[in-house]
Amino acid sequence: MRDPCDHFTIDLIGGIRAKPGRKPLGERAMTPAERKRRSRELRRNRLQELSVTVELSRDAQKALDKMIEWWGVSKKEAINRAMLIACQSQTGRTASLFEFELEPAAAKRKSRRHKA
């Protein structure tokens, strides 16, 4: 009978103990070069999904240059902000984009109750 606390002795009937670590993806473990190649390929695929290439009209380019000048940010950040502003302006929540701090409705109610 085998002691359940003994993790070092190989079971004579049960066979060989499993190797520590994660199981390989294929039949054998990947070499470091194969692992790095796979990592680079996955990273490249993720970046391609996130990037967008666009052509802007002259007027849009001038507007983008003005936004970059006003905000003092990179072209990427200006485009990100402009997209967020356009999206949230449709829902009427642009105040959070310009870092205005609006008092929550619950805080307004509490302040009214304490004053009364």
Side-chain angles (χ1 to χ4, degrees), residues 65-92:
D65 290 339
K66 284 181 185 177
M67 287 188 287
I68 291 169
E69 185 181 332
W70 291 334
W71 292 331
V73 296
S74 67
K75 190 177 283 191
K76 177 182 173 182
E77 180 62 25
I79 292 171
N80 284 335
R81 284 187 187 184
M83 293 300 293
L84 288 172
I85 289 169
C87 181
Q88 291 187 354
S89 68
Q90 297 299 314
T91 59

Side-chain angles (χ1 to χ4, degrees), residues 20 22 32 40 47 60 89 106:
R22 193 172 179 177
R40 286 180 180 143
L47 290 175
S89 68

Side-chain angles (χ1 to χ4, degrees), residues 22-39 42:
R22 193 172 179 177
K23 292 183 180 180
L25 294 174
E27 293 181 16
R28 60 173 179 77
M30 288 189 283
T31 64
E34 290 171 332
R35 195 174 314 118
K36 188 63 179 179
R37 188 179 308 118
R38 182 173 183 266
S39 167
L42 291 173

Side-chain angles (χ1 to χ4, degrees), residues 93-110:
R93 295 180 296 176
T94 55
S96 64
L97 293 171
F98 295 106
E99 300 174 5
F100 294 134
E101 292 189 22
L102 297 176
E103 203 174 323
K108 287 180 182 178
R109 278 186 243 128
K110 286 181 183 177

